[in-house]
Amino acid sequence: MESLKTKIALEGRVLPGNILKVDNFLNHQVDVNFLRSVGDEFKKLFQDKEITKVLTAEVSGIAIGTVTAESLGVPMLFAKKYAGSNMDTDTYEAKVHSYTKNNDYLLRVSKRYLNKEDKVLIVDDFLANGCALAGLIELCLQSGATIVGCGVVIEKEFQGGREYLKKYNFPIESLAIVESMGDGKINFKA
Amino acid sequence: MESLKTKIALEGRVLPGNILKVDNFLNHQVDVNFLRSVGDEFKKLFQDKEITKVLTAEVSGIAIGTVTAESLGVPMLFAKKYAGSNMDTDTYEAKVHSYTKNNDYLLRVSKRYLNKEDKVLIVDDFLANGCALAGLIELCLQSGATIVGCGVVIEKEFQGGREYLKKYNFPIESLAIVESMGDGKINFKA
């Protein structure tokens, strides 16, 4: 998606530790008008799949999940990382390791909202090592839902996530693929 | 907003501890098509205010903030509760007490994204005791931004938040006001 690559090149910041900071339009301040074009792009890529639900993870996936679900005309479900005392107790759970925060956390969704009738599009902001997407995939597998694919806004190819997720054998569509970063420069896959 | 009251009455669940559970359409599974009507309603209520930004808090405010910002045609900014290692260090901060989780947390926004030129609409899913909204208000006050008002999806009037926020003297518009709850019944203010 050329407009996304342009936006990343202009507004993204490369920080130490393989961090690509896009918090001015994607995951702190959110350019919702631009995000609509992201939702529409995912719709174009997956609309023939009879999707019934868009699944993402809190926190950074929620805005993307919201616009994508609206573009597709289906509900959005976000897996919880930080469940409060009023979370349902009957949940699907998947353990995920966060390299950014250097800890493990549980992704949870209520069993009420995911079942074997569902055809699920999984979306997230980043694909890095693949752990977060793997957690979302595990939740779907537990529920018996069909996964139609994964839609990622930015893939950092050099962190190996696509390779790691190969075992699940689902289509992964990334709207921008970063091959390498360094010295403030971001190199995209053509 | 009658359609919202109807939806809460049909799909909401009253749980012990003054919890009104609407996680089937608002804050776990999200009915984004319905949420668009919420965003459009906030637009109708505040559109003459020359809003430049919609501010909300992670996690439950993000979907609402996203659709409202898109309805208004402005960016959305969500204050962080769970900042990772790549959060900007130069932030506005406000301490908030959570009664649901029984702890204090910091709400933070990067100083890059909020300043005295901004005219901010604050939105959130619930107004209960008012602590979360007060935190968002404090962030705006620190930045020098103008607050045009607060838009709340569901106000639980009996928890006193509106009274608590009176000192700030900003308009608060709640789309559904619950006067009392109990025995599985939800009583709305007319």
Side-chain angles (χ1 to χ4, degrees), chain B residues 87-176:
Chain B
M87 172 88 189
D88 278 353
T89 50
D90 202 13
T91 57
Y92 301 113
E93 300 188 353
K95 195 160 99 172
V96 177
H97 184 74
S98 165
Y99 287 90
T100 325
K101 300 194 179 181
N102 192 27
N103 60 11
D104 290 335
Y105 61 88
L106 279 183
L107 276 183
R108 293 199 276 174
V109 298
S110 168
K111 290 187 182 176
R112 288 173 189 264
Y113 305 128
L114 204 57
N115 62 59
K116 63 180 168 43
E117 312 301 326
D118 279 315
K119 294 188 176 180
V120 178
L121 172 64
I122 296 173
V123 298
D124 211 352
D125 57 343
F126 276 97
L127 168 56
N129 53 57
C131 293
L133 275 186
L136 291 169
I137 290 169
E138 292 290 347
L139 296 174
C140 288
L141 294 177
Q142 287 172 38
S143 74
T146 305
I147 300 169
V148 305
C150 301
V152 168
V153 182
I154 304 172
E155 176 177 348
K156 293 192 286 181
E157 191 186 43
F158 55 93
Q159 290 186 295
R162 186 178 287 269
E163 195 58 33
Y164 176 71
L165 296 172
K166 223 170 217 174
K167 60 184 173 186
Y168 293 112
N169 200 27
F170 299 118
I172 300 172
E173 297 278 4
S174 302
L175 304 188

Side-chain angles (χ1 to χ4, degrees), chain A residues 115-171:
Chain A
N115 62 59
K116 63 181 170 43
E117 312 301 326
D118 278 316
K119 294 188 176 181
V120 178
L121 172 63
I122 295 172
V123 299
D124 211 352
D125 56 342
F126 275 97
L127 169 56
N129 53 59
C131 293
L133 275 187
L136 291 169
I137 290 169
E138 292 290 348
L139 295 174
C140 288
L141 295 176
Q142 288 171 37
S143 74
T146 304
I147 299 169
V148 306
C150 301
V152 169
V153 182
I154 304 172
E155 176 176 348
K156 294 192 286 181
E157 192 187 41
F158 55 93
Q159 289 185 295
R162 186 177 287 269
E163 195 59 31
Y164 176 70
L165 295 172
K166 223 171 218 173
K167 60 183 174 187
Y168 294 112
N169 201 27
F170 299 118

Side-chain angles (χ1 to χ4, degrees), chain A residues 13 19 21 23-24 27-30 32-33 36 53 58-59 62-63 66-67 69-70 73-78 80 82-88 100-101 108-110 112-113, chain B residues 13 19 21 23-24 27-30 32-33 36 53 58-59 62-63 66-67 69-70 73-78 80 82-88 100-101 108-110 112-113:
Chain A
R13 289 179 286 153
I19 291 167
K21 209 159 171 178
D23 66 354
N24 57 331
N27 47 29
H28 182 24
Q29 178 168 260
V30 180
V32 288
N33 292 325
R36 173 60 55 203
K53 204 158 278 183
E58 70 179 27
V59 179
I62 297 177
T66 300
V67 296
E70 192 182 11
V74 299
M76 185 267 286
L77 176 66
F78 62 92
K80 304 252 185 180
Y82 310 104
S85 56
N86 56 0
M87 173 87 187
D88 278 353
T100 325
K101 300 196 179 181
R108 294 199 275 175
V109 297
S110 168
R112 289 174 189 263
Y113 305 128
Chain B
R13 288 178 287 152
I19 291 167
K21 208 159 172 179
D23 67 353
N24 58 330
N27 47 27
H28 181 25
Q29 179 169 259
V30 180
V32 289
N33 292 325
R36 174 58 56 204
K53 204 157 279 184
E58 71 179 25
V59 179
I62 298 177
T66 300
V67 295
E70 193 183 9
V74 299
M76 186 266 287
L77 176 66
F78 62 93
K80 303 251 185 181
Y82 310 105
S85 57
N86 56 0
M87 172 88 189
D88 278 353
T100 325
K101 300 194 179 181
R108 293 199 276 174
V109 298
S110 168
R112 288 173 189 264
Y113 305 128

Side-chain angles (χ1 to χ4, degrees), chain B residues 4 25 47 94 104 107 123 134 149 177:
Chain B
L4 174 62
F25 72 91
Q47 66 186 343
D104 290 335
L107 276 183
V123 298
I177 299 179

